[in-house]
């Protein structure tokens, strides 16, 4: 066990807020000012013993919630004021904001869900801070506004999160997310009348909403109410599964399943499309290792029986036919296969339907009388239809190179919808019939640019150990044709089995249209090539991820994509950790760095909120074997003193209860206290926002105007004051069904 001795050589003083006040002369700064002075952050003499290694943690007081600690609040306010003055003085910042507003001003749609003959979908007309939810009676009926979250908070920071219509389409359960927090409050709306019911279910987090087959209530997952002041900091343990009946108070909700003897387990509920079976999936961390229980839904008491012992392998329910449950699993198949289990006879062995292939299966759904399966070929989505006995029918005719998502549906109804997007094309929504294999365009956004002006190149480059890593390079075709080097942003993630696939980003387009290059590296630790690719970038292999990213930077420079001083790097969450680690290891490679909502203290990440889930990928700081690895790359603990660092803009948010802002606070304070050269190390803290989900559009625009103006200034990208252009044919009208196309093409 890790030593817990804590040496406190100084006390936190009541006068700390006064000690933290910056010199008022600090207000007189400008972009690039070498005399930039940072707010003073108190250094505490805190040293902790980790397996005989003394580890200093001088800024631990910044772990306190700024809502409760005036010293933290005062320091953050000073940091924000300094950063705001600096960013506002950057050339091109206002021009970038104007272009971002134009790029966001196109209509956007979510994939429709069908229930009881009704179609539910989100439709944002462009610059609405939150996406409203609409309902349509029948496929061609007029759309009707059902929920408008833009009316919920004056600052637009209350969002409509997850929502699920009842099987008969008469009720809809929806989650309210406030200020970007992971906490949810579940509400109900009567679809016929548009009346919101009094039902309110609180302290819901990391939950699915699963209606019973009779549309009388739903299953959900929740944690116990946190203690005073602990809502955004305390570790999430002891999730339990409940059932809520429409029209009753939460105090009467029925406890369905809990594991108090195993508090690290979380529980998710699914109900089969025919309403006959409740399927409970239990897991401990981020890794897809699950234990499965089932119960028949007869209207009587719910008695769960174990179907799969675990958690050991991945088991994902993708459909049912009577008591036959279809699962996607990696049991005896690292790249996954499709099997069936018998809910009525849990002891019966799994029956294989689709064996493991060369390509990794990433998803599936039973729609109508066939299965739609999605595979990953590198970063490209491939979809196919198979019969329920596993015989292949053919490929789903996707519109081109990109990423398909959606394909929800139910047995007996061949209708499904999916979205399809590419690097420079926003998501269009398609309707697909699994029986006829015909698809139709349901909704397509207008654009204020021509996608043909941009080129996408797929490259492979060698990492430090010789492993070939995929790299996507996006830039204007004119740049590619002339082989001109240009300021570049390199983006990466490399963790948690997450794949970086083709997808549209309005913020990225703002950089590209100014003549910048954007590169995306498919690092190890992701899911692009199955379990082995993931394993090669986690735990004791985490350094491979950093080596892959450093090699990508070297490749871009060596091959003329970016000039010697023109490379910035960007990453969010686990990608923020990536940026922090590689800046410490190779500060000479980069002109600017944009680590956002990053995991920066690898010795205490498991102490807060969802951090304990990440042990699967990182390892535990309490493990003697994992400690030296974590300590060896932890961004907060490995700042290279007396080296010239790139310009760094650290971004976080005050209500991030996924990766708590303390990570960024401590990291920024340590950066600012070190002698790292003349380029700035700034901290930007968004108010009433979280890890990313639910962030209002206006806050997104401001954040990326700041970040990309910062990157442009230090990489040498000149921002053109091109006026904002309205989207072509942006009518804001409801989507319309277009003429069907035959299978195999548009």
């Amino acid at each position: 066990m890790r030593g817990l001795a804590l040496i406190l050589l100084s006390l936190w003083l009541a006068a700390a807020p006064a000690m933290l006040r910056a010199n008022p002369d600090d207000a007189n700064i400008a972009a690039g000012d070498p005399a930039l002075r940072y707010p003073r952050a108190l250094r505490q003499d805190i040293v902790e013993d980790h397996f005989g290694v003394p580890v200093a943690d001088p800024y631990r007081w910044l772990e306190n919630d700024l809502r409760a600690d005036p010293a933290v609040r005062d320091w953050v306010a000073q940091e924000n004021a300094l950063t705001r003055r600096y960013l506002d003085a950057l050339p091109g910042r206002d021009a970038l904001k104007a272009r971002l507003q134009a790029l966001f001003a196109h209509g956007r749609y979510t994939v429709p869900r069908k229930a009881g003959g009704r179609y539910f979908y989100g439709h944002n007309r462009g610059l609405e801070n939150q996406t409203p939810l609409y309902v349509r009676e029948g496929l061609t009926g007029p759309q009707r506004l059902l929920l408008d979250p833009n009316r919920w908070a004056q600052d637009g920071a209350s969002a409509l999160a997850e929502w699920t219509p009842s099987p008969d389409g008469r009720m809809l359960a929806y989650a309210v997310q406030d200020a970007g927090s992971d906490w949810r409050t579940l509400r109900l709306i009567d679809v016929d009348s548009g009346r919101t019911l009094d039902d309110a279910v609180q302290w819901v987090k990391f939950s699915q909403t699963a209606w019973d087959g009779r549309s009388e209530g739903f299953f959900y997952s929740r944690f116990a109410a946190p203690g005073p002041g602990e809502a955004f900091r305390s570790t999430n343990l002891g999730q339990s599964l409940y059932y809520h009946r429409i029209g009753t108070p939460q105090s009467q909700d029925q406890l369905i399943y809990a594991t108090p003897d195993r508090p690290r387990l979380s529980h998710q509920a699914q109900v089969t499309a025919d309403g006959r079976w409740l399927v409970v999936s239990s897991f401990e961390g981020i890794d897809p290792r699950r234990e499965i229980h089932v119960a028949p839904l007869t209207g009587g008491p719910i008695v769960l029986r174990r179907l799969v012992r675990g958690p050991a392998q991945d088991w994902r329910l993708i459909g049912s036919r009577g008591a036959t449950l279809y699962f996607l699993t990696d049991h005896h198949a690292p790249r996954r296969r499709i099997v069936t289990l018998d809910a009525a006879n849990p002891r019966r062995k799994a029956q294989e339907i689709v064996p493991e292939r060369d390509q990794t299966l990433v998803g599936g759904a039973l729609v109508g009388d066939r299965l739609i399966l999605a595979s990953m070929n590198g970063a490209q989505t491939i979809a196919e239809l198979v019969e329920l006995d596993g015989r292949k029918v053919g490929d789903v005719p996707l519109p081109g190179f990109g990423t398909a998502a959606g394909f929800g549906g139910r047995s007996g109804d061949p209708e499904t919808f999916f979205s399809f997007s590419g690097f420079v094309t926003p998501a269009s929504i398609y309707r697909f019939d699994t029986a006829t294999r015909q698809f139709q365009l349901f909704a397509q956004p207008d654009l204020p640019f021509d996608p043909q002006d941009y080129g996408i190149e797929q490259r492979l480059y060698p990492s430090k150990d010789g492993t070939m890593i995929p790299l996507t390079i996006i830039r204007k075709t004119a740049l590619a044709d002339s082989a001109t080097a240009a300021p570049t942003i390199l983006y990466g993630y490399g963790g948690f089995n997450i794949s970086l696939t083709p997808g549209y980003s309005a913020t990225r387009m703002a950089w590209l249209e100014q003549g910048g290059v954007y590169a995306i590296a498919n690092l190890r630790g992701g899911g692009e090539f199955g379990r082995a690719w993931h394993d090669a970038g986690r735990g004791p292999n985490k350094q491979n991820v950093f080596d892959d990213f450093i090699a990508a930077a070297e490749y871009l420079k060596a091959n003329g994509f970016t000039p010697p001083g023109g490379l910035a790097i960007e990453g969010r969450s686990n990608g923020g950790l990536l940026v922090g680690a590689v800046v410490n290891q190779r500060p000479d490679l980069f002109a600017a760095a944009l680590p956002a909502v990053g995991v920066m203290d690898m010795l205490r990440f498991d102490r807060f909120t969802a951090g304990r889930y990440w042990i699967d990928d990182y390892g535990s700081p309490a493990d003697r074997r994992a400690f030296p690895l974590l300590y060896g790359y932890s961004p907060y603990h490995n700042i290279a003193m007396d080296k010239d660092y790139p310009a760094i803009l650290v971004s976080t948010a005050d209500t991030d209860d996924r990766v708590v802002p303390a990570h960024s606070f401590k990291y920024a304070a340590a950066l600012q206290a070190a002698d790292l050269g003349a380029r700035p190390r700034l901290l930007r803290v968004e108010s009433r926002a979280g890890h990313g989900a639910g962030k209002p559009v206006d806050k997104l625009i401001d954040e990326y105007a700041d970040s990309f103006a910062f990157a442009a200034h230090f990489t040498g990208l000149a921002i053109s004051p091109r006026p904002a252009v309205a989207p072509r044919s942006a009518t804001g009208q409801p989507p319309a069904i277009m003429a069907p196309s035959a299978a195999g093409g548009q």
Side-chain angles (χ1 to χ4, degrees):
M1 289 293 291
R2 176 177 60 179
L4 297 178
L6 184 66
I7 305 171
L8 292 175
L9 302 179
S10 67
L11 297 176
W12 176 240
L13 303 177
M19 297 172 63
L20 293 169
R21 293 192 185 102
N23 190 318
D25 293 339
D26 290 349
N28 301 316
I29 65 167
D33 187 346
L36 184 68
R37 286 172 287 181
Y38 304 106
R40 299 186 186 96
L42 178 73
R43 289 181 59 89
Q44 293 177 302
D45 294 323
I46 295 179
V47 179
E48 226 174 20
D49 180 86
H50 294 255
F51 308 107
V53 178
V55 178
D57 190 3
Y59 301 110
R60 184 170 295 182
W61 62 275
L62 288 172
E63 292 179 354
N64 295 338
D65 192 331
L66 59 81
R67 298 164 187 80
D69 190 324
V72 178
R73 184 167 60 248
D74 186 59
W75 180 80
V76 168
Q78 292 175 49
E79 289 283 346
N80 263 344
L82 174 69
T83 299
R84 187 73 270 142
R85 293 193 298 271
Y86 192 97
L87 296 176
D88 284 346
L90 289 174
R93 193 266 176 195
D94 292 340
L96 272 175
K97 180 175 180 178
R99 283 305 300 154
L100 282 163
Q101 288 171 330
L103 288 163
F104 271 96
H106 65 80
R108 300 182 293 281
Y109 305 89
T110 65
V111 176
R113 301 183 204 173
K114 182 181 179 181
R118 286 172 163 154
Y119 295 81
F120 301 82
Y121 56 89
H123 177 202
N124 191 311
R125 296 176 184 269
L127 290 173
E128 293 177 283
N129 273 324
Q130 303 293 344
T131 297
L133 184 67
Y134 291 84
V135 63
R136 176 182 285 187
E137 305 288 340
L139 190 60
T140 59
Q143 75 175 16
R144 169 167 59 95
L145 179 64
L146 186 62
L147 288 168
D148 185 0
N150 296 290
R151 302 174 181 174
W152 295 349
Q154 189 172 0
D155 64 354
S158 289
L160 172 62
E162 303 79 14
W163 51 267
T164 310
S166 61
D168 60 12
R170 298 181 62 183
M171 303 292 295
L172 183 128
Y174 64 95
V176 178
Q177 177 189 26
D178 187 58
S181 170
D182 280 333
W183 290 114
R184 306 287 195 263
T185 298
L186 300 182
R187 304 299 306 267
L188 287 167
I189 187 170
D190 181 287
V191 178
D192 286 331
S193 66
R195 180 177 65 88
T196 300
L197 277 61
D198 292 334
D199 303 49
V201 178
Q202 297 179 320
W203 302 117
V204 176
K205 182 186 280 193
F206 309 140
S207 176
Q208 296 178 168
T209 303
W211 285 89
D212 64 26
R214 301 175 303 279
S215 299
E216 296 175 351
F218 56 84
F219 301 91
Y220 69 94
S221 308
R222 61 157 293 184
F223 293 92
E230 292 296 312
F232 304 115
R233 298 178 72 256
S234 60
T235 303
N236 301 141
L237 294 169
Q239 190 181 51
S240 301
L241 184 68
Y242 285 85
Y243 174 76
H244 176 79
R245 186 176 295 276
I246 296 173
T248 63
Q250 184 175 1
S251 60
Q252 294 181 13
D253 288 356
Q254 179 185 356
L255 176 64
I256 301 298
Y257 189 59
T259 52
D261 57 327
R262 293 188 290 170
R264 299 177 71 86
L265 281 182
S266 296
H267 312 291
Q268 300 286 313
Q270 287 176 271
V271 174
T272 56
D274 59 9
R276 290 179 56 183
W277 297 94
L278 170 66
V279 180
V280 178
S281 173
S282 302
F283 53 94
E284 185 168 310
I286 295 295
D287 263 11
R289 298 194 301 265
R290 308 169 196 272
E291 183 173 277
I292 306 294
H293 288 79
V294 296
L297 295 177
T298 61
I302 295 174
V303 180
L304 289 165
R305 299 173 64 188
R306 187 165 59 202
L307 185 64
V308 175
R309 184 184 298 274
Q313 297 94 24
D314 189 6
W315 293 87
R316 276 185 265 170
L317 179 69
I318 63 172
S320 67
R321 180 62 64 86
T324 301
L325 306 182
Y326 290 79
F327 283 90
L328 183 153
T329 182
D330 62 2
H331 182 50
H332 299 313
R335 290 184 296 276
R336 303 192 184 99
R337 59 184 179 138
I338 305 298
V339 303
T340 61
L341 295 174
D342 190 338
N345 297 282
R347 294 180 179 274
R348 184 172 293 174
K349 291 184 177 180
Q351 303 297 307
E352 185 174 87
I353 302 299
V354 177
E356 183 182 22
R357 297 99 160 265
D358 291 337
Q359 296 167 340
T360 301
L361 278 172
V362 295
L366 198 166
V367 181
D369 297 315
R370 289 171 171 167
L371 293 168
I372 300 178
L373 303 181
S375 300
M376 185 70 65
N377 182 15
Q380 170 71 4
T381 302
I382 299 172
E384 63 180 307
L385 276 176
V386 301
E387 303 287 8
L388 296 186
D389 61 6
R391 289 180 294 116
K392 182 171 180 177
V393 176
D395 292 333
V396 176
L398 300 180
F401 179 81
T403 300
F407 295 112
R410 59 179 55 230
S411 175
D413 185 347
E415 184 180 46
T416 187
F417 293 85
F418 67 93
S419 66
F420 191 83
S421 63
F423 285 117
V424 293
T425 51
S428 294
I429 309 297
Y430 294 87
R431 176 178 179 265
F432 181 66
D433 189 305
T434 61
T436 66
R437 297 176 60 201
Q438 290 187 328
F439 72 98
Q440 302 164 286
L441 182 63
F442 180 78
Q444 187 174 46
D446 298 307
L447 295 176
F449 63 89
D450 185 352
Q452 298 302 316
D453 290 342
Y454 300 88
I456 301 163
E457 303 168 61
Q458 302 288 325
R459 298 290 185 102
L460 289 172
Y461 68 91
S463 188
K464 183 178 181 180
D465 62 0
T467 300
M468 301 304 291
I469 310 297
L471 180 68
T472 301
I473 300 166
I474 313 166
R475 54 182 173 169
K476 285 187 173 180
T477 53
L479 279 177
D481 292 343
S482 63
T484 302
T488 300
I489 292 178
L490 172 62
Y491 180 88
Y493 187 81
F496 297 101
N497 204 33
I498 291 174
S499 302
L500 299 186
T501 59
Y504 178 75
S505 164
T507 57
R508 183 171 62 224
M509 289 305 305
W511 179 265
L512 292 171
E513 71 173 14
Q514 293 292 338
V517 178
Y518 202 95
I520 301 169
N522 293 106
L523 313 172
R524 283 175 283 185
E528 289 87 350
F529 299 102
R531 183 192 296 173
W533 195 255
H534 178 205
D535 289 344
R538 66 169 173 169
N541 299 319
K542 189 66 175 178
Q543 182 59 42
N544 285 337
V545 183
F546 310 140
D547 290 341
D548 293 353
F549 203 56
I550 289 169
E554 293 172 331
Y555 179 87
L556 290 167
K557 290 188 172 186
N559 288 274
F561 290 99
T562 188
L567 183 61
I569 50 175
E570 179 188 11
R572 304 183 67 84
S573 194
N574 175 72
L577 158 64
L578 167 69
V579 170
V582 300
V583 164
N584 286 339
Q585 294 180 16
R586 288 294 305 277
D588 58 297
L589 277 177
F590 316 113
L594 304 173
V597 292
V599 186
M600 300 304 194
D601 184 345
M602 298 309 297
L603 301 187
R604 290 175 63 80
F605 71 85
D606 58 336
R607 306 290 186 93
F608 305 101
T609 59
R612 58 96 173 175
Y613 290 103
W614 313 333
I615 288 173
D616 283 343
D617 235 58
Y618 297 146
S620 172
D623 184 334
R624 179 182 293 273
R625 295 167 299 177
F627 161 72
L629 299 168
L630 295 167
Y631 186 40
Y633 67 76
S634 177
Y636 172 55
H637 298 96
N638 287 278
I639 294 169
M641 302 298 181
D642 302 321
K643 288 189 177 181
D644 283 339
Y645 264 46
I648 303 174
L649 178 59
V650 183
S651 299
T652 187
D654 60 3
T655 317
D656 188 347
D657 51 0
R658 183 84 57 86
V659 179
V660 293
H663 283 278
S664 293
F665 293 173
K666 293 168 67 175
Y667 172 64
L671 284 173
Q672 292 174 356
D675 182 6
L676 303 176
R679 284 179 285 196
R681 287 93 64 192
L682 301 174
L683 174 65
R684 184 188 190 279
V685 185
E686 188 67 77
S687 61
R688 279 187 49 79
H691 198 60
K695 183 174 287 187
V697 167
D698 58 4
K699 289 183 184 290
L700 278 173
I701 289 172
D702 279 333
E703 177 184 358
Y704 280 92
D706 288 344
S707 297
F708 286 177
F710 186 84
H713 182 68
F714 289 98
T715 60
L717 182 67
I719 303 300
S720 169
R722 175 183 171 187
V725 179
R728 293 191 298 271
S729 303
T731 62
Q733 295 301 309
I737 290 294
M738 310 295 283
S741 298
Q746 285 185 279

